[in-house]
Short mmCIF file of all heavy atoms in Angstrom, two decimals:
data_model
loop_
_atom_site.label_atom_id
_atom_site.label_comp_id
_atom_site.label_asym_id
_atom_site.label_seq_id
_atom_site.Cartn_x
_atom_site.Cartn_y
_atom_site.Cartn_z
N GLU A 722 -3.40 0.94 13.14
CA GLU A 722 -4.08 2.06 13.70
C GLU A 722 -4.50 3.09 12.55
O GLU A 722 -3.96 2.91 11.42
CB GLU A 722 -3.12 2.92 14.65
CG GLU A 722 -2.57 2.02 15.79
CD GLU A 722 -3.68 1.55 16.73
OE1 GLU A 722 -4.69 2.32 16.79
OE2 GLU A 722 -3.59 0.47 17.35
N PRO A 723 -5.41 3.96 12.75
CA PRO A 723 -5.71 4.98 11.71
C PRO A 723 -4.56 5.83 11.26
O PRO A 723 -3.62 5.98 12.10
CB PRO A 723 -6.90 5.89 12.37
CG PRO A 723 -7.41 5.01 13.58
CD PRO A 723 -6.21 4.20 13.99
N ALA A 724 -4.53 6.28 10.09
CA ALA A 724 -3.45 7.16 9.58
C ALA A 724 -3.35 8.34 10.42
O ALA A 724 -4.30 8.94 10.83
CB ALA A 724 -3.70 7.47 8.11
N PRO A 725 -2.14 8.79 10.77
CA PRO A 725 -1.89 10.06 11.58
C PRO A 725 -2.35 11.24 10.70
O PRO A 725 -2.45 11.20 9.53
CB PRO A 725 -0.41 10.07 11.76
CG PRO A 725 0.21 9.18 10.73
CD PRO A 725 -0.77 8.12 10.48
N THR A 726 -2.70 12.28 11.49
CA THR A 726 -3.31 13.49 10.79
C THR A 726 -2.29 14.11 9.81
O THR A 726 -2.75 14.82 8.94
CB THR A 726 -3.73 14.47 11.87
OG1 THR A 726 -2.56 14.82 12.69
CG2 THR A 726 -4.85 13.92 12.75
N ASP A 727 -0.99 13.99 9.99
CA ASP A 727 -0.03 14.61 9.10
C ASP A 727 0.22 13.74 7.87
O ASP A 727 1.08 14.09 7.02
CB ASP A 727 1.28 14.86 9.78
CG ASP A 727 1.88 13.63 10.51
OD1 ASP A 727 1.16 12.68 10.56
OD2 ASP A 727 2.99 13.74 10.99
N LEU A 728 -0.59 12.67 7.66
CA LEU A 728 -0.53 11.94 6.45
C LEU A 728 -1.86 12.18 5.60
O LEU A 728 -2.67 11.29 5.41
CB LEU A 728 -0.38 10.45 6.67
CG LEU A 728 1.04 9.90 6.85
CD1 LEU A 728 0.98 8.40 6.98
CD2 LEU A 728 1.98 10.34 5.82
N ALA A 729 -2.00 13.41 5.14
CA ALA A 729 -3.22 13.73 4.35
C ALA A 729 -3.12 13.10 3.03
O ALA A 729 -2.06 12.76 2.59
CB ALA A 729 -3.32 15.26 4.26
N ASP A 730 -4.31 12.85 2.44
CA ASP A 730 -4.38 12.19 1.21
C ASP A 730 -4.01 13.15 0.03
O ASP A 730 -4.90 13.35 -0.84
CB ASP A 730 -5.74 11.52 1.00
CG ASP A 730 -5.84 10.64 -0.18
OD1 ASP A 730 -4.81 10.21 -0.73
OD2 ASP A 730 -6.93 10.45 -0.78
N ASP A 731 -2.85 13.66 0.03
CA ASP A 731 -2.48 14.58 -1.07
C ASP A 731 -1.15 14.13 -1.73
O ASP A 731 -0.39 14.92 -2.33
CB ASP A 731 -2.37 15.94 -0.56
CG ASP A 731 -1.33 16.14 0.51
OD1 ASP A 731 -0.77 15.16 1.04
OD2 ASP A 731 -1.04 17.30 0.90
N PHE A 732 -0.74 12.83 -1.56
CA PHE A 732 0.47 12.35 -2.14
C PHE A 732 0.21 12.05 -3.70
O PHE A 732 -0.81 11.53 -4.05
CB PHE A 732 1.02 11.10 -1.38
CG PHE A 732 1.53 11.36 -0.05
CD1 PHE A 732 0.73 11.15 1.03
CD2 PHE A 732 2.84 11.83 0.10
CE1 PHE A 732 1.22 11.50 2.25
CE2 PHE A 732 3.40 12.08 1.29
CZ PHE A 732 2.55 11.92 2.47
N ASP A 733 1.22 12.36 -4.35
CA ASP A 733 1.09 11.97 -5.82
C ASP A 733 1.28 10.42 -6.05
O ASP A 733 0.69 9.86 -6.95
CB ASP A 733 2.25 12.64 -6.63
CG ASP A 733 2.11 14.20 -6.60
OD1 ASP A 733 1.00 14.73 -6.98
OD2 ASP A 733 2.96 14.84 -6.09
N ALA A 734 2.08 9.83 -5.19
CA ALA A 734 2.36 8.39 -5.40
C ALA A 734 2.75 7.85 -4.02
O ALA A 734 3.23 8.50 -3.16
CB ALA A 734 3.52 8.17 -6.34
N VAL A 735 2.42 6.50 -3.93
CA VAL A 735 2.81 5.65 -2.73
C VAL A 735 3.52 4.46 -3.21
O VAL A 735 3.16 3.86 -4.18
CB VAL A 735 1.48 5.31 -1.96
CG1 VAL A 735 1.84 4.36 -0.81
CG2 VAL A 735 0.72 6.47 -1.54
N VAL A 736 4.61 4.16 -2.44
CA VAL A 736 5.37 2.88 -2.66
C VAL A 736 5.15 2.02 -1.45
O VAL A 736 5.34 2.46 -0.29
CB VAL A 736 6.82 3.14 -2.85
CG1 VAL A 736 7.57 1.81 -3.01
CG2 VAL A 736 7.06 3.90 -4.23
N ASP A 737 4.62 0.79 -1.68
CA ASP A 737 4.25 -0.14 -0.60
C ASP A 737 5.03 -1.40 -0.80
O ASP A 737 4.87 -2.06 -1.83
CB ASP A 737 2.83 -0.29 -0.50
CG ASP A 737 2.40 -1.14 0.69
OD1 ASP A 737 3.23 -1.40 1.57
OD2 ASP A 737 1.23 -1.51 0.79
N VAL A 738 5.80 -1.89 0.19
CA VAL A 738 6.40 -3.16 0.09
C VAL A 738 5.75 -4.21 1.03
O VAL A 738 6.35 -5.22 1.40
CB VAL A 738 7.95 -3.05 0.48
CG1 VAL A 738 8.69 -2.17 -0.52
CG2 VAL A 738 8.15 -2.56 1.85
N GLY A 739 4.61 -3.83 1.57
CA GLY A 739 3.89 -4.64 2.62
C GLY A 739 3.56 -6.03 2.07
O GLY A 739 3.44 -6.37 0.97
N ARG A 740 3.42 -6.93 3.07
CA ARG A 740 3.11 -8.35 2.85
C ARG A 740 1.84 -8.81 3.49
O ARG A 740 1.27 -9.91 3.13
CB ARG A 740 4.24 -9.19 3.29
CG ARG A 740 4.51 -9.13 4.82
CD ARG A 740 5.69 -10.00 5.25
NE ARG A 740 6.90 -9.56 4.59
CZ ARG A 740 8.11 -10.08 4.72
NH1 ARG A 740 8.20 -11.16 5.52
NH2 ARG A 740 9.19 -9.62 4.10
N TYR A 741 1.24 -8.00 4.35
CA TYR A 741 0.02 -8.41 5.06
C TYR A 741 -1.23 -7.71 4.50
O TYR A 741 -1.16 -6.43 4.37
CB TYR A 741 0.10 -8.18 6.51
CG TYR A 741 1.22 -9.03 7.23
CD1 TYR A 741 2.37 -8.46 7.65
CD2 TYR A 741 0.99 -10.38 7.32
CE1 TYR A 741 3.38 -9.35 8.21
CE2 TYR A 741 1.94 -11.25 7.87
CZ TYR A 741 3.13 -10.63 8.31
OH TYR A 741 4.11 -11.46 8.92
N PRO A 742 -2.26 -8.37 4.08
CA PRO A 742 -3.44 -7.74 3.47
C PRO A 742 -4.01 -6.61 4.31
O PRO A 742 -4.42 -5.61 3.81
CB PRO A 742 -4.40 -8.90 3.31
CG PRO A 742 -3.49 -10.09 3.15
CD PRO A 742 -2.39 -9.85 4.02
N SER A 743 -4.07 -6.83 5.63
CA SER A 743 -4.73 -5.82 6.50
C SER A 743 -3.89 -4.55 6.44
O SER A 743 -4.58 -3.44 6.42
CB SER A 743 -4.81 -6.30 7.95
OG SER A 743 -3.47 -6.39 8.56
N SER A 744 -2.66 -4.54 6.40
CA SER A 744 -1.82 -3.35 6.32
C SER A 744 -2.04 -2.66 4.96
O SER A 744 -2.21 -1.42 4.92
CB SER A 744 -0.31 -3.75 6.47
OG SER A 744 -0.05 -4.20 7.77
N THR A 745 -1.99 -3.39 3.91
CA THR A 745 -2.24 -2.72 2.60
C THR A 745 -3.69 -2.21 2.48
O THR A 745 -3.89 -1.12 1.96
CB THR A 745 -1.93 -3.70 1.47
OG1 THR A 745 -0.61 -4.17 1.55
CG2 THR A 745 -2.29 -3.21 0.06
N ARG A 746 -4.66 -2.95 3.02
CA ARG A 746 -6.02 -2.54 2.92
C ARG A 746 -6.24 -1.21 3.70
O ARG A 746 -6.88 -0.25 3.18
CB ARG A 746 -6.86 -3.63 3.60
CG ARG A 746 -8.40 -3.40 3.36
CD ARG A 746 -9.17 -4.56 3.91
NE ARG A 746 -8.89 -5.82 3.30
CZ ARG A 746 -8.29 -6.92 3.93
NH1 ARG A 746 -7.90 -6.76 5.15
NH2 ARG A 746 -8.03 -8.01 3.25
N SER A 747 -5.65 -1.02 4.89
CA SER A 747 -5.77 0.15 5.63
C SER A 747 -5.11 1.33 4.94
O SER A 747 -5.62 2.52 5.00
CB SER A 747 -5.23 0.00 7.08
OG SER A 747 -3.87 -0.22 7.00
N ALA A 748 -3.94 1.09 4.31
CA ALA A 748 -3.12 2.17 3.74
C ALA A 748 -3.90 2.65 2.40
O ALA A 748 -4.00 3.88 2.15
CB ALA A 748 -1.81 1.74 3.30
N VAL A 749 -4.40 1.73 1.61
CA VAL A 749 -5.11 2.10 0.39
C VAL A 749 -6.45 2.91 0.71
O VAL A 749 -6.70 3.85 0.13
CB VAL A 749 -5.44 0.85 -0.46
CG1 VAL A 749 -6.40 1.28 -1.62
CG2 VAL A 749 -4.13 0.28 -1.00
N ALA A 750 -7.04 2.47 1.80
CA ALA A 750 -8.27 3.16 2.24
C ALA A 750 -7.98 4.56 2.70
O ALA A 750 -8.88 5.46 2.49
CB ALA A 750 -8.97 2.39 3.36
N ALA A 751 -6.81 4.80 3.33
CA ALA A 751 -6.47 6.14 3.76
C ALA A 751 -5.91 7.00 2.65
O ALA A 751 -6.02 8.24 2.78
CB ALA A 751 -5.35 6.02 4.92
N LEU A 752 -5.36 6.35 1.65
CA LEU A 752 -4.67 7.18 0.52
C LEU A 752 -5.08 6.65 -0.85
O LEU A 752 -4.31 6.17 -1.69
CB LEU A 752 -3.16 7.05 0.75
CG LEU A 752 -2.61 7.41 2.07
CD1 LEU A 752 -1.22 6.76 2.32
CD2 LEU A 752 -2.46 8.91 2.16
N PRO A 753 -6.36 6.78 -1.20
CA PRO A 753 -6.86 6.23 -2.40
C PRO A 753 -6.63 7.01 -3.66
O PRO A 753 -6.80 6.52 -4.76
CB PRO A 753 -8.41 6.09 -2.16
CG PRO A 753 -8.66 7.30 -1.26
CD PRO A 753 -7.48 7.39 -0.36
N ASN A 754 -6.20 8.30 -3.48
CA ASN A 754 -6.14 9.19 -4.66
C ASN A 754 -4.71 9.17 -5.33
O ASN A 754 -4.56 9.90 -6.25
CB ASN A 754 -6.53 10.55 -4.27
CG ASN A 754 -7.96 10.65 -3.83
OD1 ASN A 754 -8.79 10.11 -4.49
ND2 ASN A 754 -8.20 11.41 -2.70
N ALA A 755 -3.77 8.48 -4.70
CA ALA A 755 -2.46 8.48 -5.24
C ALA A 755 -2.25 7.37 -6.26
O ALA A 755 -3.10 6.37 -6.34
CB ALA A 755 -1.45 8.33 -4.12
N HIS A 756 -1.19 7.47 -7.06
CA HIS A 756 -0.71 6.28 -7.80
C HIS A 756 0.08 5.42 -6.97
O HIS A 756 0.99 5.86 -6.21
CB HIS A 756 0.11 6.78 -9.08
CG HIS A 756 0.70 5.67 -9.84
ND1 HIS A 756 -0.07 4.96 -10.79
CD2 HIS A 756 1.92 5.03 -9.83
CE1 HIS A 756 0.72 3.97 -11.28
NE2 HIS A 756 1.92 4.03 -10.65
N TRP A 757 -0.24 4.15 -6.97
CA TRP A 757 0.45 3.19 -6.08
C TRP A 757 1.41 2.39 -6.91
O TRP A 757 1.10 1.87 -7.97
CB TRP A 757 -0.58 2.24 -5.45
CG TRP A 757 -1.18 2.88 -4.24
CD1 TRP A 757 -2.02 3.93 -4.15
CD2 TRP A 757 -1.03 2.40 -2.82
NE1 TRP A 757 -2.42 4.18 -2.80
CE2 TRP A 757 -1.78 3.28 -2.01
CE3 TRP A 757 -0.36 1.33 -2.26
CZ2 TRP A 757 -1.86 3.13 -0.64
CZ3 TRP A 757 -0.35 1.25 -0.88
CH2 TRP A 757 -1.16 2.10 -0.04
N VAL A 758 2.58 2.18 -6.34
CA VAL A 758 3.57 1.17 -6.76
C VAL A 758 3.68 0.06 -5.71
O VAL A 758 4.23 0.37 -4.62
CB VAL A 758 4.96 1.77 -7.14
CG1 VAL A 758 5.88 0.67 -7.71
CG2 VAL A 758 4.82 2.87 -8.11
N PHE A 759 3.08 -1.06 -5.96
CA PHE A 759 3.07 -2.09 -5.02
C PHE A 759 4.16 -3.14 -5.35
O PHE A 759 4.19 -3.67 -6.38
CB PHE A 759 1.74 -2.83 -4.91
CG PHE A 759 1.76 -3.91 -3.87
CD1 PHE A 759 1.74 -3.49 -2.53
CD2 PHE A 759 1.74 -5.23 -4.16
CE1 PHE A 759 1.71 -4.56 -1.47
CE2 PHE A 759 1.81 -6.20 -3.27
CZ PHE A 759 1.77 -5.88 -1.91
N VAL A 760 5.06 -3.33 -4.36
CA VAL A 760 6.11 -4.32 -4.58
C VAL A 760 5.64 -5.66 -4.12
O VAL A 760 5.47 -5.96 -2.90
CB VAL A 760 7.41 -3.93 -3.85
CG1 VAL A 760 8.53 -4.89 -4.05
CG2 VAL A 760 7.88 -2.54 -4.30
N SER A 761 5.38 -6.57 -5.08
CA SER A 761 4.92 -7.89 -4.78
C SER A 761 6.04 -8.90 -4.76
O SER A 761 7.13 -8.62 -4.26
CB SER A 761 3.72 -8.25 -5.71
OG SER A 761 3.20 -9.43 -5.43
N THR A 762 5.89 -10.05 -5.38
CA THR A 762 6.88 -11.09 -5.47
C THR A 762 6.67 -12.13 -6.57
O THR A 762 5.40 -12.30 -6.94
CB THR A 762 6.93 -11.84 -4.11
OG1 THR A 762 7.83 -13.01 -4.23
CG2 THR A 762 5.58 -12.26 -3.68
N VAL A 763 7.59 -12.74 -7.15
CA VAL A 763 7.35 -13.82 -8.07
C VAL A 763 6.72 -15.00 -7.45
O VAL A 763 6.19 -15.95 -8.04
CB VAL A 763 8.64 -14.27 -8.85
CG1 VAL A 763 9.14 -13.11 -9.71
CG2 VAL A 763 9.70 -14.76 -7.84
N ASN A 764 6.70 -15.04 -6.06
CA ASN A 764 6.03 -16.07 -5.30
C ASN A 764 4.54 -16.07 -5.49
O ASN A 764 3.78 -17.02 -5.03
CB ASN A 764 6.42 -16.03 -3.93
CG ASN A 764 7.85 -16.31 -3.61
OD1 ASN A 764 8.65 -15.46 -3.32
ND2 ASN A 764 8.25 -17.59 -3.70
N VAL A 765 4.01 -15.12 -6.15
CA VAL A 765 2.51 -15.06 -6.47
C VAL A 765 2.15 -16.08 -7.53
O VAL A 765 0.98 -16.51 -7.61
CB VAL A 765 1.97 -13.72 -6.89
CG1 VAL A 765 2.21 -12.68 -5.81
CG2 VAL A 765 2.61 -13.23 -8.20
N TYR A 766 3.14 -16.51 -8.30
CA TYR A 766 2.89 -17.50 -9.39
C TYR A 766 2.77 -18.94 -8.74
O TYR A 766 3.66 -19.36 -8.07
CB TYR A 766 3.96 -17.46 -10.37
CG TYR A 766 4.06 -16.10 -11.14
CD1 TYR A 766 5.24 -15.33 -11.03
CD2 TYR A 766 2.95 -15.58 -11.86
CE1 TYR A 766 5.30 -14.14 -11.72
CE2 TYR A 766 3.08 -14.36 -12.49
CZ TYR A 766 4.24 -13.68 -12.41
OH TYR A 766 4.36 -12.36 -13.02
N SER A 767 1.79 -19.62 -9.23
CA SER A 767 1.65 -21.06 -8.77
C SER A 767 2.47 -22.01 -9.55
O SER A 767 2.77 -23.09 -9.04
CB SER A 767 0.14 -21.46 -8.79
OG SER A 767 -0.34 -21.35 -10.14
N ASP A 768 2.92 -21.54 -10.82
CA ASP A 768 3.76 -22.39 -11.59
C ASP A 768 5.18 -21.91 -11.41
O ASP A 768 5.53 -20.83 -11.93
CB ASP A 768 3.22 -22.30 -13.04
CG ASP A 768 4.16 -23.13 -14.04
OD1 ASP A 768 5.11 -23.73 -13.51
OD2 ASP A 768 3.83 -23.19 -15.26
#
């Protein structure tokens, strides 16, 4: 769903542990001005 009105784009930083692209996409679109710390995984490596 769209970001609630009390989540204005005035955060200094965002921490995201999400795993689904649609969730990360919507959050980044709503909060593009912050520094993001994205928690990924070593499973991104093919080797």
Side-chain angles (χ1 to χ4, degrees):
E722 304 295 332
T726 55
D727 51 352
L728 276 186
D730 185 22
D731 62 351
F732 289 95
D733 299 300
V735 176
V736 174
D737 185 11
V738 299
R740 61 184 62 181
Y741 294 109
S743 67
S744 296
T745 298
R746 191 176 297 115
S747 65
V749 171
L752 304 158
N754 295 318
H756 176 80
W757 277 66
V758 182
F759 182 72
V760 180
S761 187
T762 171
V763 295
N764 294 103
V765 299
Y766 298 118
S767 59
D768 180 356

